[in-house]
Amino acid sequence: MAMENDSSVTEFVLMGLTDQPELQMPLFVLFLVNHIITVVGNLSLMNLICINSHLHTPMYFFLFNLSFIDFCYSLVFTPKMLVGFVSERNIISYAGCITQLFFFCFFVNSESYVLTAMAYDRYMAICQPLQYTVIMSPRTCSLLIFGTYFMGFASAMLHTGCMIRLNFCDFNVINHYMCDIFPLLRLSCSSTFANELVSSVVIGTAIMLCSLIILISYGFILVNVIHMSSGKGWSKAMSTCGSHIITVGLFYGFGILAYVKPKSNESVGQGKFFSVFYTLVVPMINPLIYSLRNKDVKLALKRTLKRITE
């Protein structure tokens, strides 16, 4: 993919979260800790799933990919964001900005589709338990994951391809801590109508499609749970879905708040605030949610620690 455009801008300046000097160092420490927890947490969960055979199931296969995406996701913009807190001018080249935009779009879209695949997996486990192992075979799971990455790649290529066509003339200060779609569109000196239309259609379609599948899956799960005569079965069904429901609610909730908002100067600051939650906080707490609320993961952790200490 070509990284050259016909504009005079060769680099951008990222404003970051705040322009107040007294907040730069506290924010640096805060987000450095956040990044360490995110990296260690997701790597630990991936290792637990790999080395414990009782976690080699479709549910944990999808969870492994969710952790992998969150791990990569955090590496796309967090290191650059941390540098911005301790440098006078947080500069990123045009090529670097477009690359960051591509990988951000790729991983954020992939995560939304992985969460959708996880909802379908929970539907099959609870509503079709006798056919679960047959339908959710390794081949089916691999195809679903391939589909999520393919959709993420296609969306990223579309967003990035449209962005490369734009011209950037004089103003090069991005009012954000990363190269996101809408902050970049505000800087273009050429028409952004097509870009805004494509972005709205792609993002809107992805949100509606994923939300619809997740809602339908949990609708069937809820009906199935209501008809369960066993309290133990009801409790088990809820325990397997609780972590996923929390993750989906946080990811989509803050994602929608960050992007679906009025176009005003005040909304730019609000957008950055909500972006922090779904780009930095959610990838950090996902491993904690699935660890603290999951008996299988707790058991795997105890076994692993026992092997290490013996």
Side-chain angles (χ1 to χ4, degrees):
M1 182 185 296
M3 291 295 178
E4 299 292 335
N5 69 346
D6 298 326
S7 62
S8 58
V9 171
T10 59
E11 62 184 24
F12 294 99
V13 178
L14 295 167
M15 282 186 62
L17 281 174
T18 178
D19 56 359
Q20 300 180 37
E22 65 274 12
L23 294 178
Q24 299 298 325
M25 191 52 63
L27 287 174
F28 171 80
V29 174
L30 176 65
F31 288 111
L32 177 61
V33 172
N34 167 274
H35 185 57
I36 293 171
I37 295 173
T38 301
V39 170
V40 173
N42 284 289
L43 282 177
S44 299
L45 188 54
M46 285 190 285
N47 284 326
L48 280 178
I49 293 171
C50 286
I51 65 179
N52 288 274
S53 58
H54 74 282
L55 297 183
H56 294 175
T57 63
M59 174 181 172
Y60 294 103
F61 173 72
F62 292 121
L63 182 55
F64 176 90
N65 282 275
L66 179 66
S67 291
F68 172 74
I69 289 171
D70 282 338
F71 169 72
C72 297
Y73 189 29
S74 67
L75 297 177
V76 171
F77 50 84
T78 309
K80 184 63 180 173
M81 180 184 182
L82 292 173
V83 170
F85 287 126
V86 295
S87 60
E88 292 185 7
R89 295 182 76 228
N90 189 15
I91 297 172
I92 185 170
S93 67
Y94 174 81
C97 189
I98 294 298
T99 302
Q100 189 184 72
L101 174 67
F102 172 81
F103 283 106
F104 168 70
C105 291
F106 172 65
F107 287 119
V108 76
N109 279 281
S110 297
E111 177 149 349
S112 67
Y113 289 113
V114 167
L115 290 172
T116 306
M118 292 175 76
Y120 175 73
D121 172 69
R122 291 300 81 207
Y123 157 73
M124 292 302 305
I126 295 171
C127 299
Q128 306 289 338
L130 299 178
Q131 301 176 349
Y132 177 70
T133 54
V134 176
I135 296 175
M136 298 303 293
S137 63
R139 182 175 181 274
T140 302
C141 294
S142 297
L143 286 174
L144 284 172
I145 285 299
F146 173 79
T148 64
Y149 288 124
F150 176 79
M151 292 297 291
F153 178 78
S155 298
M157 286 293 291
L158 190 58
H159 287 304
T160 309
C162 289
M163 192 64 67
I164 288 175
R165 298 177 59 220
L166 297 180
N167 291 321
F168 298 91
C169 301
D170 299 315
F171 194 62
N172 68 337
V173 179
I174 301 174
N175 189 9
H176 214 292
Y177 56 84
M178 62 179 178
C179 292
D180 202 355
I181 297 170
F182 296 109
L184 276 172
L185 290 180
R186 294 189 184 96
L187 302 184
S188 176
C189 55
S190 53
S191 174
T192 61
F193 175 77
N195 291 67
E196 292 177 0
L197 180 62
V198 169
S199 296
S200 298
V201 169
V202 172
I203 294 172
T205 301
I207 291 174
M208 287 191 292
L209 178 63
C210 293
S211 299
L212 184 63
I213 294 173
I214 292 171
L215 288 173
I216 291 174
S217 297
Y218 277 107
F220 281 117
I221 290 172
L222 182 62
V223 171
N224 189 274
V225 167
I226 290 173
H227 288 88
M228 282 183 178
S229 57
S230 170
K232 186 177 179 181
W234 185 89
S235 177
K236 184 177 181 181
M238 286 298 96
S239 66
T240 60
C241 297
S243 299
H244 183 256
I245 292 172
I246 294 171
T247 302
V248 168
L250 291 172
F251 180 78
Y252 282 102
F254 287 115
I256 291 172
L257 287 172
Y259 287 104
V260 183
K261 57 187 184 300
K263 293 183 178 180
S264 65
N265 291 330
E266 185 180 352
S267 70
V268 174
Q270 294 174 354
K272 285 197 290 185
F273 174 77
F274 289 123
S275 293
V276 167
F277 283 91
Y278 88 92
T279 58
L280 296 165
V281 178
V282 172
M284 178 189 71
I285 64 176
N286 276 350
L288 300 177
I289 291 171
Y290 280 98
S291 300
L292 297 176
R293 294 182 54 86
N294 194 297
K295 293 180 180 179
D296 292 333
V297 174
K298 289 180 183 178
L299 179 61
L301 181 60
K302 288 179 181 178
R303 288 180 177 177
T304 304
L305 291 175
K306 188 176 180 181
R307 290 176 199 165
I308 296 172
T309 54
E310 283 179 352

